[in-house]
Amino acid sequence: MRQFKRILLSLLVLVGSAATVVAQEETIKVRAGPDGHGFLTDARGMTLYYYTKDAHGESVCYGNCEKAWPVFYTPTVATPPTLPASEFGTITRTDGSKQTTYRGWPLYYWQRDVKPGDVTGEGVGKVWYILKVPAYTVMISTSDTLGNYLVDGEGRTLYWYTR
């Protein structure tokens, strides 16, 4: 009987370990939009947004901004095969909390999105946008001194020479 219990316990441990390896729930998903482009969502299908004022990889959304645009954070990023997990990271905000990033851009929810797939935050204030997949190669950033300007997908300012 004692040997049977050991075998049974070993099998339970083995089965539990295998289940952990086989299926890890995706924490980031790509949802098809009405225009045919995919966009980022969390595991429940809630849309993720970027803020054009966060171009330098740090969040500037606090206080009332953060109430309207709650931070998205997951300690572990698991993505579908078509989306490299290496494009996601984590920053520590000035208040000490964590926030997940995509290609350096901090990710947010919009308080008025109530069901999976809602994109009511797209274009709000001309500074909030969904993150389309495949990723943008040129994006809009915003500063108090320059207004709107163009950056690459990593948030680096783009310049042009007029001659």
Side-chain angles (χ1 to χ4, degrees):
M1 186 65 162
R2 179 176 272 179
Q3 187 175 5
F4 176 75
K5 286 181 181 179
R6 278 190 207 157
I7 292 171
L8 183 59
L9 181 60
S10 296
L11 284 173
L12 288 173
V13 169
L14 183 62
V15 168
S17 298
T20 302
V21 172
V22 170
Q24 182 178 7
E25 178 71 26
E26 291 174 354
T27 55
I28 303 286
K29 295 186 177 198
V30 177
R31 186 179 185 110
D35 63 357
H37 290 95
F39 62 93
L40 295 182
T41 72
D42 70 1
R44 298 172 301 136
M46 297 304 291
T47 303
L48 298 173
Y49 296 87
Y50 83 95
Y51 186 36
T52 63
K53 294 183 179 185
D54 287 346
H56 302 290
E58 58 186 61
S59 176
V60 297
C61 182
Y62 292 90
N64 288 335
C65 176
E66 187 179 2
K67 287 177 185 168
W69 299 91
V71 166
F72 170 74
Y73 172 68
T74 182
T76 305
V77 172
T79 60
T82 57
L83 190 62
S86 61
E87 293 186 342
F88 293 86
T90 301
I91 60 168
T92 301
R93 296 165 51 83
T94 59
D95 63 6
S97 64
K98 303 285 187 191
Q99 187 168 11
T100 300
T101 63
Y102 175 62
R103 304 186 93 201
W105 293 88
L107 300 175
Y108 302 86
Y109 294 108
W110 170 229
Q111 69 173 350
R112 293 188 182 164
D113 284 351
V114 294
K115 65 183 184 309
D118 280 354
V119 290
T120 63
E122 174 70 358
V124 168
K126 297 183 181 176
V127 292
W128 291 97
Y129 298 96
I130 61 175
L131 283 151
K132 292 190 177 179
V133 178
Y136 297 112
T137 54
V138 175
M139 299 173 77
I140 297 171
S141 187
T142 307
S143 78
D144 292 336
T145 55
L146 297 175
N148 287 344
Y149 60 99
L150 298 178
V151 295
D152 68 7
E154 308 280 319
R156 295 177 294 229
T157 303
L158 298 174
Y159 298 88
W160 66 94
Y161 185 63
T162 59
R163 290 194 169 162

